[in-house]
């Protein structure tokens, strides 16, 4: 499995921005799906954004479209999530994930095999 480590979380006020980073130990294969998920207390883990390296297609949850942007730096094995115009509803633990294939659903956690340990994002009003 790929080892993944997130960073960049923290506390911001509503309307602020954060950029999360996720460094992977190594990837195998040419195509893979990389994604960000989040989980708030008492709620299920939900997909936020994904990028599929086979086509470089991006997928976003409706709740973050137009505010969040996923990107990657292949040379650094690093995945990013730029989060703008944050609201208290974005408060959650954020996780990066990867799978060495094209999942049946890009934002469903059951299709991903490698996970980071998570980083907390807290947005205050």
């Amino acid at each position: 499995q790929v080892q993944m480590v997130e960073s960049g979380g923290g506390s911001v006020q509503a309307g602020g921005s954060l950029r999360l980073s996720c460094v992977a130990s190594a990837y195998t294969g040419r195509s893979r799906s990389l994604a960000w998920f989040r989980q708030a207390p008492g709620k299920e883990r939900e997909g936020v954004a994904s990028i599929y390296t086979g086509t470089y297609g991006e997928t976003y949850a409706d709740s973050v479209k137009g505010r969040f942007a996923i990107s990657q730096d292949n040379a650094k094995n690093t995945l990013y999530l730029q989060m703008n115009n944050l609201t208290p509803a974005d408060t959650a633990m954020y996780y990066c994930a990867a799978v060495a294939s094209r999942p049946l659903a890009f934002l469903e956690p059951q299709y991903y095999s490698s996970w980071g340990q998570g980083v907390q994002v807290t947005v205050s009003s």
Side-chain angles (χ1 to χ4, degrees), residues 8-117:
S11 298
V12 295
Q13 290 190 329
S17 298
L18 283 174
R19 189 176 80 154
L20 304 183
S21 300
C22 173
V23 179
S25 56
Y27 293 119
T28 58
R30 296 186 62 184
S31 66
R32 55 189 169 268
S33 182
L34 308 173
W36 289 95
F37 292 82
R38 66 185 182 187
Q39 189 167 18
K43 295 187 177 182
E44 293 186 352
R45 190 168 296 190
E46 63 171 347
V48 174
S50 72
I51 184 166
Y52 176 58
T53 61
T55 61
Y56 292 98
E58 299 172 9
T59 304
Y60 294 92
D62 288 343
S63 58
V64 306
K65 282 181 180 177
R67 300 189 299 122
F68 290 14
I70 189 171
S71 62
Q72 62 175 329
D73 184 331
N74 287 327
K76 298 180 180 179
N77 276 353
T78 301
L79 180 70
Y80 301 100
L81 184 68
Q82 178 66 44
M83 305 185 294
N84 299 324
N85 195 20
L86 286 160
T87 73
D90 296 315
T91 295
M93 188 74 79
Y94 283 72
Y95 301 87
C96 59
V99 62
S101 62
R102 186 185 191 281
L104 294 178
F106 287 109
L107 296 182
E108 293 294 331
Q110 64 264 34
Y111 295 112
Y112 288 81
S113 55
S114 298
W115 291 83
Q117 81 289 351

